[in-house]
Short mmCIF file of all heavy atoms in Angstrom, two decimals:
data_model
loop_
_atom_site.label_atom_id
_atom_site.label_comp_id
_atom_site.label_asym_id
_atom_site.label_seq_id
_atom_site.Cartn_x
_atom_site.Cartn_y
_atom_site.Cartn_z
N GLY A 1 -43.88 -79.00 -59.78
CA GLY A 1 -44.85 -78.14 -59.04
C GLY A 1 -46.11 -78.86 -58.71
O GLY A 1 -46.74 -78.67 -57.64
N LEU A 2 -46.56 -79.69 -59.73
CA LEU A 2 -47.94 -80.45 -59.44
C LEU A 2 -47.55 -81.41 -58.24
O LEU A 2 -48.59 -81.56 -57.40
CB LEU A 2 -48.28 -81.24 -60.65
CG LEU A 2 -48.80 -80.39 -61.85
CD1 LEU A 2 -48.88 -81.28 -63.12
CD2 LEU A 2 -50.16 -79.79 -61.44
N MET A 3 -46.56 -82.09 -58.16
CA MET A 3 -46.21 -82.98 -57.13
C MET A 3 -46.11 -82.26 -55.73
O MET A 3 -46.80 -82.80 -54.76
CB MET A 3 -44.90 -83.77 -57.33
CG MET A 3 -44.46 -84.69 -56.22
SD MET A 3 -42.91 -85.44 -56.61
CE MET A 3 -42.62 -86.20 -54.95
N ALA A 4 -45.42 -81.18 -55.78
CA ALA A 4 -45.31 -80.43 -54.49
C ALA A 4 -46.71 -79.96 -54.05
O ALA A 4 -46.94 -79.97 -52.84
CB ALA A 4 -44.33 -79.28 -54.64
N GLY A 5 -47.54 -79.45 -54.97
CA GLY A 5 -48.80 -78.93 -54.61
C GLY A 5 -49.78 -80.00 -54.19
O GLY A 5 -50.56 -79.81 -53.21
N ALA A 6 -49.68 -81.18 -54.89
CA ALA A 6 -50.63 -82.25 -54.47
C ALA A 6 -50.35 -82.83 -53.16
O ALA A 6 -51.23 -83.27 -52.36
CB ALA A 6 -50.46 -83.43 -55.58
N LEU A 7 -49.05 -82.77 -52.73
CA LEU A 7 -48.62 -83.26 -51.44
C LEU A 7 -48.62 -82.12 -50.37
O LEU A 7 -47.98 -82.22 -49.30
CB LEU A 7 -47.40 -84.01 -51.50
CG LEU A 7 -47.46 -85.35 -52.28
CD1 LEU A 7 -46.03 -86.04 -52.28
CD2 LEU A 7 -48.50 -86.30 -51.77
N THR A 8 -49.07 -80.99 -50.81
CA THR A 8 -49.20 -79.80 -49.99
C THR A 8 -47.88 -79.43 -49.25
O THR A 8 -47.83 -79.14 -48.14
CB THR A 8 -50.28 -79.91 -48.99
OG1 THR A 8 -50.13 -80.94 -48.14
CG2 THR A 8 -51.75 -80.03 -49.68
N SER A 9 -46.79 -79.45 -50.01
CA SER A 9 -45.51 -79.32 -49.38
C SER A 9 -44.82 -77.99 -49.98
O SER A 9 -44.29 -78.04 -51.02
CB SER A 9 -44.60 -80.51 -49.69
OG SER A 9 -43.29 -80.28 -49.20
N THR A 10 -44.88 -76.98 -49.10
CA THR A 10 -44.19 -75.77 -49.47
C THR A 10 -42.66 -75.92 -49.47
O THR A 10 -42.01 -75.21 -50.31
CB THR A 10 -44.64 -74.57 -48.68
OG1 THR A 10 -44.71 -74.95 -47.30
CG2 THR A 10 -46.06 -74.05 -49.08
N PRO A 11 -42.06 -76.62 -48.57
CA PRO A 11 -40.57 -76.86 -48.67
C PRO A 11 -40.21 -77.48 -50.01
O PRO A 11 -39.11 -77.15 -50.60
CB PRO A 11 -40.28 -77.83 -47.46
CG PRO A 11 -41.43 -77.49 -46.50
CD PRO A 11 -42.59 -77.16 -47.36
N ALA A 12 -41.00 -78.35 -50.49
CA ALA A 12 -40.71 -78.98 -51.84
C ALA A 12 -40.77 -77.94 -52.92
O ALA A 12 -39.97 -77.91 -53.86
CB ALA A 12 -41.65 -80.10 -52.13
N LEU A 13 -41.77 -77.00 -52.88
CA LEU A 13 -41.92 -75.97 -53.94
C LEU A 13 -40.68 -75.13 -53.87
O LEU A 13 -40.09 -74.74 -54.89
CB LEU A 13 -43.12 -75.18 -53.45
CG LEU A 13 -43.26 -73.81 -54.20
CD1 LEU A 13 -43.42 -74.07 -55.69
CD2 LEU A 13 -44.37 -72.93 -53.70
N GLY A 14 -40.27 -74.76 -52.58
CA GLY A 14 -38.94 -73.99 -52.42
C GLY A 14 -37.70 -74.77 -52.96
O GLY A 14 -36.87 -74.09 -53.64
N ALA A 15 -37.67 -75.99 -52.78
CA ALA A 15 -36.42 -76.68 -53.22
C ALA A 15 -36.42 -76.85 -54.79
O ALA A 15 -35.41 -76.61 -55.44
CB ALA A 15 -36.49 -78.10 -52.67
N ILE A 16 -37.61 -77.02 -55.45
CA ILE A 16 -37.65 -76.91 -56.83
C ILE A 16 -37.38 -75.69 -57.47
O ILE A 16 -36.69 -75.46 -58.39
CB ILE A 16 -39.08 -77.51 -57.37
CG1 ILE A 16 -39.41 -78.96 -56.74
CG2 ILE A 16 -39.14 -77.55 -58.95
CD1 ILE A 16 -40.71 -79.36 -57.02
N THR A 17 -37.96 -74.54 -56.95
CA THR A 17 -37.89 -73.27 -57.36
C THR A 17 -36.36 -72.83 -57.32
O THR A 17 -35.91 -72.19 -58.23
CB THR A 17 -38.68 -72.28 -56.55
OG1 THR A 17 -40.07 -72.65 -56.69
CG2 THR A 17 -38.58 -70.87 -57.08
N GLU A 18 -35.69 -73.18 -56.21
CA GLU A 18 -34.27 -72.73 -56.09
C GLU A 18 -33.42 -73.57 -57.10
O GLU A 18 -32.30 -72.99 -57.37
CB GLU A 18 -33.89 -73.04 -54.60
CG GLU A 18 -32.56 -72.38 -54.23
CD GLU A 18 -31.37 -73.26 -54.56
OE1 GLU A 18 -31.63 -74.53 -54.45
OE2 GLU A 18 -30.36 -72.79 -54.73
N SER A 19 -33.83 -74.76 -57.56
CA SER A 19 -32.95 -75.59 -58.43
C SER A 19 -33.16 -75.46 -59.85
O SER A 19 -32.54 -75.99 -60.64
CB SER A 19 -33.10 -76.96 -57.98
OG SER A 19 -34.45 -77.47 -58.27
N THR A 20 -34.14 -74.53 -60.31
CA THR A 20 -34.48 -74.46 -61.76
C THR A 20 -34.63 -72.98 -62.07
O THR A 20 -34.90 -72.17 -61.30
CB THR A 20 -35.65 -75.25 -62.07
OG1 THR A 20 -35.97 -75.10 -63.47
CG2 THR A 20 -36.95 -74.69 -61.34
N GLU A 21 -34.46 -72.75 -63.35
CA GLU A 21 -34.84 -71.36 -63.91
C GLU A 21 -36.14 -71.20 -64.31
O GLU A 21 -36.62 -69.98 -64.48
CB GLU A 21 -33.75 -71.04 -65.01
CG GLU A 21 -32.27 -71.01 -64.60
CD GLU A 21 -31.41 -70.80 -65.86
OE1 GLU A 21 -31.89 -70.65 -66.92
OE2 GLU A 21 -30.17 -70.64 -65.55
N GLN A 22 -36.89 -72.24 -64.43
CA GLN A 22 -38.37 -72.20 -65.07
C GLN A 22 -39.31 -72.10 -63.80
O GLN A 22 -40.00 -72.92 -63.56
CB GLN A 22 -38.64 -73.43 -65.86
CG GLN A 22 -37.69 -73.60 -66.95
CD GLN A 22 -37.84 -72.47 -68.10
OE1 GLN A 22 -38.94 -71.99 -68.25
NE2 GLN A 22 -36.75 -72.09 -68.64
N THR A 23 -39.08 -71.00 -63.00
CA THR A 23 -39.93 -70.93 -61.87
C THR A 23 -41.38 -70.68 -62.10
O THR A 23 -42.26 -71.08 -61.26
CB THR A 23 -39.41 -69.73 -60.91
OG1 THR A 23 -39.33 -68.46 -61.76
CG2 THR A 23 -37.96 -69.97 -60.53
N ALA A 24 -41.83 -70.08 -63.22
CA ALA A 24 -43.22 -69.89 -63.47
C ALA A 24 -43.95 -71.17 -63.49
O ALA A 24 -44.99 -71.25 -62.98
CB ALA A 24 -43.19 -69.08 -64.83
N SER A 25 -43.40 -72.11 -64.28
CA SER A 25 -44.07 -73.48 -64.41
C SER A 25 -44.24 -74.12 -63.08
O SER A 25 -45.30 -74.80 -62.74
CB SER A 25 -43.40 -74.41 -65.43
OG SER A 25 -43.34 -73.75 -66.68
N VAL A 26 -43.16 -73.99 -62.26
CA VAL A 26 -43.25 -74.64 -60.96
C VAL A 26 -44.38 -74.01 -60.05
O VAL A 26 -45.21 -74.78 -59.48
CB VAL A 26 -41.97 -74.51 -60.18
CG1 VAL A 26 -41.93 -75.06 -58.83
CG2 VAL A 26 -40.79 -75.04 -60.97
N ALA A 27 -44.42 -72.72 -60.01
CA ALA A 27 -45.47 -72.07 -59.19
C ALA A 27 -46.84 -72.29 -59.78
O ALA A 27 -47.82 -72.43 -58.98
CB ALA A 27 -45.23 -70.48 -59.19
N VAL A 28 -47.06 -72.32 -61.11
CA VAL A 28 -48.35 -72.64 -61.70
C VAL A 28 -48.86 -74.12 -61.30
O VAL A 28 -49.97 -74.25 -60.98
CB VAL A 28 -48.31 -72.42 -63.06
CG1 VAL A 28 -49.59 -72.88 -63.78
CG2 VAL A 28 -48.10 -70.92 -63.59
N GLY A 29 -47.84 -75.01 -61.51
CA GLY A 29 -48.22 -76.45 -61.08
C GLY A 29 -48.64 -76.45 -59.66
O GLY A 29 -49.71 -77.13 -59.30
N PHE A 30 -47.88 -75.82 -58.78
CA PHE A 30 -48.24 -75.74 -57.34
C PHE A 30 -49.66 -75.24 -57.07
O PHE A 30 -50.38 -75.73 -56.29
CB PHE A 30 -47.09 -75.13 -56.54
CG PHE A 30 -47.25 -75.13 -55.14
CD1 PHE A 30 -46.66 -76.28 -54.34
CD2 PHE A 30 -48.06 -74.27 -54.33
CE1 PHE A 30 -46.88 -76.29 -53.00
CE2 PHE A 30 -48.12 -74.30 -53.09
CZ PHE A 30 -47.58 -75.34 -52.31
N GLY A 31 -49.85 -74.04 -57.79
CA GLY A 31 -51.05 -73.34 -57.51
C GLY A 31 -52.22 -74.14 -58.05
O GLY A 31 -53.32 -74.07 -57.35
N VAL A 32 -52.19 -74.93 -59.02
CA VAL A 32 -53.29 -75.76 -59.37
C VAL A 32 -53.45 -76.86 -58.53
O VAL A 32 -54.65 -77.31 -58.34
CB VAL A 32 -53.03 -76.30 -60.94
CG1 VAL A 32 -53.99 -77.33 -61.40
CG2 VAL A 32 -53.02 -74.98 -61.88
N ALA A 33 -52.35 -77.53 -58.15
CA ALA A 33 -52.62 -78.78 -57.38
C ALA A 33 -52.74 -78.58 -55.88
O ALA A 33 -53.48 -79.54 -55.23
CB ALA A 33 -51.21 -79.66 -57.56
N TYR A 34 -52.36 -77.47 -55.32
CA TYR A 34 -52.45 -77.33 -53.79
C TYR A 34 -53.85 -77.49 -53.36
O TYR A 34 -54.17 -78.12 -52.36
CB TYR A 34 -51.88 -76.01 -53.51
CG TYR A 34 -51.76 -75.77 -51.99
CD1 TYR A 34 -50.65 -76.32 -51.22
CD2 TYR A 34 -52.63 -75.02 -51.28
CE1 TYR A 34 -50.60 -76.24 -49.77
CE2 TYR A 34 -52.60 -74.93 -49.94
CZ TYR A 34 -51.59 -75.41 -49.17
OH TYR A 34 -51.53 -75.20 -47.84
N PRO A 35 -54.84 -76.72 -53.89
CA PRO A 35 -56.25 -76.79 -53.48
C PRO A 35 -56.83 -78.24 -53.59
O PRO A 35 -57.54 -78.66 -52.75
CB PRO A 35 -57.04 -75.74 -54.38
CG PRO A 35 -55.95 -74.87 -54.88
CD PRO A 35 -54.73 -75.66 -55.04
N ILE A 36 -56.51 -78.95 -54.64
CA ILE A 36 -56.93 -80.15 -54.87
C ILE A 36 -56.38 -81.16 -53.89
O ILE A 36 -57.09 -82.02 -53.30
CB ILE A 36 -56.56 -80.71 -56.33
CG1 ILE A 36 -57.18 -79.88 -57.35
CG2 ILE A 36 -56.84 -82.20 -56.38
CD1 ILE A 36 -56.70 -80.11 -58.86
N GLY A 37 -55.04 -81.00 -53.53
CA GLY A 37 -54.41 -81.82 -52.46
C GLY A 37 -55.13 -81.61 -51.08
O GLY A 37 -55.35 -82.48 -50.32
N ILE A 38 -55.50 -80.36 -50.76
CA ILE A 38 -56.23 -80.17 -49.61
C ILE A 38 -57.69 -80.81 -49.48
O ILE A 38 -58.00 -81.54 -48.59
CB ILE A 38 -56.30 -78.66 -49.23
CG1 ILE A 38 -54.93 -78.01 -48.93
CG2 ILE A 38 -57.24 -78.37 -48.07
CD1 ILE A 38 -55.04 -76.53 -48.73
N VAL A 39 -58.32 -80.46 -50.50
CA VAL A 39 -59.66 -80.95 -50.51
C VAL A 39 -59.94 -82.40 -50.57
O VAL A 39 -60.69 -83.02 -49.83
CB VAL A 39 -60.41 -80.36 -51.71
CG1 VAL A 39 -61.91 -80.89 -51.84
CG2 VAL A 39 -60.57 -78.76 -51.63
N VAL A 40 -59.09 -83.09 -51.40
CA VAL A 40 -59.24 -84.58 -51.50
C VAL A 40 -58.91 -85.28 -50.20
O VAL A 40 -59.65 -86.23 -49.80
CB VAL A 40 -58.31 -85.12 -52.62
CG1 VAL A 40 -58.23 -86.57 -52.54
CG2 VAL A 40 -58.68 -84.60 -53.96
N VAL A 41 -57.80 -84.80 -49.47
CA VAL A 41 -57.45 -85.61 -48.22
C VAL A 41 -58.47 -85.25 -47.19
O VAL A 41 -58.90 -86.16 -46.42
CB VAL A 41 -56.11 -84.97 -47.77
CG1 VAL A 41 -55.65 -85.52 -46.38
CG2 VAL A 41 -54.94 -85.35 -48.82
N VAL A 42 -58.99 -84.09 -47.14
CA VAL A 42 -60.01 -83.67 -46.10
C VAL A 42 -61.28 -84.50 -46.34
O VAL A 42 -61.91 -85.07 -45.37
CB VAL A 42 -60.30 -82.20 -46.03
CG1 VAL A 42 -61.53 -81.89 -45.24
CG2 VAL A 42 -59.08 -81.37 -45.51
N VAL A 43 -61.74 -84.56 -47.50
CA VAL A 43 -62.95 -85.33 -47.84
C VAL A 43 -62.77 -86.84 -47.60
O VAL A 43 -63.66 -87.46 -47.08
CB VAL A 43 -63.43 -85.12 -49.48
CG1 VAL A 43 -64.37 -86.06 -49.83
CG2 VAL A 43 -63.80 -83.75 -49.54
N PHE A 44 -61.58 -87.42 -48.03
CA PHE A 44 -61.26 -88.75 -47.66
C PHE A 44 -61.37 -89.11 -46.28
O PHE A 44 -61.88 -90.12 -45.79
CB PHE A 44 -59.90 -89.04 -48.28
CG PHE A 44 -59.43 -90.48 -47.86
CD1 PHE A 44 -59.89 -91.59 -48.58
CD2 PHE A 44 -58.49 -90.69 -46.97
CE1 PHE A 44 -59.46 -92.84 -48.26
CE2 PHE A 44 -58.06 -91.96 -46.51
CZ PHE A 44 -58.57 -93.03 -47.26
N VAL A 45 -60.76 -88.10 -45.43
CA VAL A 45 -60.74 -88.40 -44.02
C VAL A 45 -62.09 -88.41 -43.38
O VAL A 45 -62.54 -89.32 -42.56
CB VAL A 45 -59.91 -87.31 -43.24
CG1 VAL A 45 -60.23 -87.21 -41.71
CG2 VAL A 45 -58.35 -87.54 -43.47
N GLN A 46 -62.97 -87.39 -43.83
CA GLN A 46 -64.29 -87.33 -43.34
C GLN A 46 -65.13 -88.56 -43.72
O GLN A 46 -65.94 -89.02 -42.94
CB GLN A 46 -64.92 -86.11 -43.89
CG GLN A 46 -64.33 -84.78 -43.23
CD GLN A 46 -64.84 -83.46 -43.86
OE1 GLN A 46 -65.30 -83.54 -44.97
NE2 GLN A 46 -64.78 -82.42 -43.17
N LEU A 47 -65.01 -89.09 -45.00
CA LEU A 47 -65.59 -90.21 -45.43
C LEU A 47 -65.19 -91.43 -44.65
O LEU A 47 -65.98 -92.34 -44.22
CB LEU A 47 -65.48 -90.37 -46.98
CG LEU A 47 -66.23 -89.34 -47.85
CD1 LEU A 47 -65.84 -89.65 -49.29
CD2 LEU A 47 -67.76 -89.59 -47.58
N ALA A 48 -63.86 -91.64 -44.41
CA ALA A 48 -63.44 -92.73 -43.70
C ALA A 48 -63.92 -92.82 -42.28
O ALA A 48 -64.26 -93.79 -41.78
CB ALA A 48 -61.91 -92.67 -43.70
#
């Protein structure tokens, strides 16, 4: 979930969720990482 969120990939979130029974952990990891993935890339682009 952290990897899918960090790379802001909802298809990856869906693929993991569908392949495991521990969906709660996947969604929580995605929820934590997704905003970080957005902010870091945007800030990096603006600085570059």
